[in-house]
Structure formats: C-alpha cells, structure tokens
Amino acid sequence: MIATPLDLIGCTPLVALDRIHDGPGRIVAKAEFLHPGGSVKDRAAKAILLAARQDGRLTPGMPVVEMTSGNMGAGLAVVCASLGHPFIATMSAGNSPARARMMEGLGARVVLVGQVDGSPGQVTGADVAAAADAAARIARDEGGFYVDQFNAAEGITAHETGTGREILEQLGGPVDGWVASVGTGCTFMGVARALKAAAPATLCAAVEPQGSAPLAGKPVTKARHIVQGVGYGLVPPHWDAALMDLSLEVTDAEVAHWHHRLAVREGLYVGYSAAANVCAAAKLLASGRLRADATVATVLCDTGLKY
Ligand SMILES: Cc1ncc(COP(=O)(O)O)c(C=O)c1O
C-alpha cells in the first residue's frame, strides 16, 4: 500500500527495553520519536488540524498559529506543509534553537518570545504563558487558526484511540502500569483512558520533575529543570485527576543518567522527557505496587537530536 506523509503519524512500534531493565518485570515504550516531526506531538497536531478542517474552523490556506516548546510546532509544521497551510510558531527563547531551525526548515515562521523567569534550557510556566499570549495575539491580528493545544480535546482523543489502543493491540492484552510525563497532559490522559477502559486496575502514574510536582498536590519549589516540554508547574486546564493513581518524581540527575543509559545500552538517543518516563517506569516496577513480572508501558516522546 502507498502511504501519504500524514499516514506516517501514528502506529509507532512498541519497543521492549530489556537491556536497560532486565527484570523483574518489563518496560515497553512507544517509539514516538520516529514520527516525521520527531515527537509524540505529531499525533495531537494531526488530530486537531484534521478536526478543525472537518468542522470548518480551519479553511483551506488559512494560517495556523500556536505556542510551542518546539515539538508541537514541528508536528504542526509537518501537518501544515502536508495540508497547505502557512504556520506561525511562537516559542520561548529558552527552548533549544535546534527546534526553531527544524520548524523553519519545514517552512514555519518562528517568533521567539523572551523568558520571564526561566533560563536557556530551563523553561518555566511563566515563560510558556508569555509565548501563549503572543500566539493568541498573532492569531487575532493575522486572522489565523489558534491551535490552543492545552485546551483542545482532540489531543486527548488522539492518544485514546491511537497510542492507547495501539499499546493494547501490540501487547495482545492489558498492561499493568502506564507512566508518562505531562505537558498538556494529552498523552497521559488519552492513553490512561484507553488502558483503564480495557483493564480498570491498570496503575497510571504521572511523571513530574522533583520540586515541580503540582499533580502530586505539592507546592512548586523548583520551577527550573532539564525536562523540556513537560513539568511546567501547572495543572493542565483539562486535567482529569481521576485518571492518575499516583505521581512519580524524578530528579535532573536521574533523568540525565537514564538519558545516557538509553543511548549507550539501547541505542536510543531520545530526549529528556523520554528518559524521565523510563526512569519512572523502573521506579514503578521497583515500588512493589505491581506484581513481580508486571509490564509497564511508556512513551519515548522525542528524539535527542533536537537538544
Ligand atoms: C519533549 C516532550 N515530551 C513530552 C511532552 C508531553 O506531551 P503532552 O503535551 O501530551 O503531555 C511534550 C509536549 O510538548 C514534549 O515536548
């Protein structure tokens, strides 16, 4: 069968990480970095834009505008190129310049927004809010479609009907545990919904940077961390707390350690949120909350080449 470029989004392989974790239990991970935009966010980008075209909010040739840490922007740039829309991205200047280069390479106009209280490589909630304000303003001024990923329900559905169901199909049945770090929360919530629908006992853990764990109900004491794209110190607007059984915290040092291990022991050069997820999956297996031979699923959110 001949595919279209948009068909490259979704149906990623589920990889067993048996060298990095050789038991007891098993860690399996969706290889989301294989998407054309290089991250898990391609799924939300495709779902939101296709839904908006379907119901007429996005008309042919209309500009698309979004605030991004880079990954949603790369996904949107891919989908916009493929559907014929100009794309304007606003991004905090604290995110890695490699992301801006990739979006520009895909034809996007990138507007860098100065940081409020973060620093290069460490982007805070206030930095993200400033970039979101800029996106909403540009969309208004230029008559564009504002994607608003933090409030778009299609992002969650994409993971429920896509990523979550794919995990169940690829494993041939339910999974014991699910862990994912949280940006908009679309990945965590959508997959948790699908996995809990198949097996209500599936233990679902949100991954949070230590010191920036509002989902665990803790005050934010360390807004800066190395896990770009997640852990903004905010509860996302459409967060469904009923889907989270627990929160697992990871330190910058742990994330850096697992980032290196994934590269040198599995040949997977992925980003920091992927490393945070795998670190948390190992913690969940070691916690004693699951049976000894449990399988924990997670996502390898993006490629490490964007950092
Ligand atoms: C690198 C990275 N990992 C994980 C995520 C989290 O995905 P979600 O927004 O679905 O929570 C993002 C979101 O932008 C990201 O950029």
Side-chain angles (χ1 to χ4, degrees):
M1 193 183 84
I2 305 292
T4 70
L6 284 187
D7 293 331
L8 299 177
I9 300 175
C11 298
T12 52
L14 185 69
V15 183
L17 304 179
D18 291 342
R19 276 177 54 76
I20 208 167
H21 179 87
D22 60 2
R26 192 169 214 201
I27 301 172
V28 294
K30 291 286 277 176
E32 299 295 295
F33 61 88
L34 293 179
H35 284 138
S39 94
V40 66
K41 300 301 292 192
D42 285 26
R43 292 183 188 259
K46 178 179 165 184
I48 295 169
L49 293 192
L50 288 184
R53 278 177 67 104
Q54 179 109 44
D55 64 23
R57 283 173 295 147
L58 177 60
T59 52
M62 189 176 180
V64 170
V65 187
E66 179 60 331
M67 175 280 298
T68 175
S69 71
N71 278 333
M72 183 64 166
L76 286 167
V78 166
V79 178
C80 284
S82 161
L83 296 176
H85 293 278
F87 175 50
I88 305 157
T90 68
M91 186 172 95
S92 167
N95 287 118
S96 61
R99 293 156 186 249
R101 277 202 300 277
M102 179 171 182
M103 288 188 281
E104 283 167 349
L106 283 159
R109 192 174 110 208
V110 180
V111 177
L112 288 182
V113 179
Q115 290 192 272
V116 179
D117 58 359
S119 57
Q122 300 190 327
V123 177
T124 66
D127 296 336
V128 170
D133 286 348
R137 199 170 45 247
I138 291 170
R140 219 174 29 244
D141 294 350
E142 302 196 18
F145 171 73
Y146 180 36
V147 175
D148 198 9
Q149 57 175 308
F150 276 87
N151 292 294
E154 296 90 352
I156 305 175
T157 316
H159 286 289
E160 182 179 5
T161 58
T163 326
R165 287 208 194 135
E166 290 166 27
I167 291 171
L168 293 166
E169 273 168 30
Q170 287 164 322
L171 282 174
V175 57
D176 302 292
W178 156 246
V179 304
S181 45
V182 174
T184 62
C186 290
T187 309
F188 176 83
M189 288 189 284
V191 173
R193 261 191 211 160
L195 299 183
K196 280 184 182 286
T202 303
L203 202 63
C204 295
V207 183
E208 298 192 275
Q210 196 176 68
S212 188
L215 302 175
K218 297 184 181 174
V220 176
T221 55
K222 183 178 172 288
R224 297 182 186 194
H225 54 76
I226 65 167
V227 201
Q228 284 184 47
V230 299
Y232 293 122
L234 313 160
V235 177
H238 51 199
W239 183 247
D240 179 357
L243 292 168
M244 186 188 93
D245 297 301
L246 71 157
S247 155
L248 292 165
E249 290 177 39
V250 293
T251 66
D252 281 358
E254 287 172 328
V255 171
H257 173 68
W258 284 84
H259 176 257
H260 180 68
R261 288 192 74 210
L262 274 160
V264 300
R265 288 189 65 84
E266 298 281 9
L268 295 170
Y269 190 66
V270 291
Y272 293 103
S273 59
N277 287 352
V278 176
C279 170
K283 286 188 181 195
L284 186 58
L285 283 168
S287 71
R289 293 188 62 144
L290 297 172
R291 59 194 170 86
D293 63 345
T295 298
V296 172
T298 191
V299 276
L300 299 174
C301 313
D302 72 349
T303 165
L305 295 174
K306 285 187 182 176
Y307 293 82

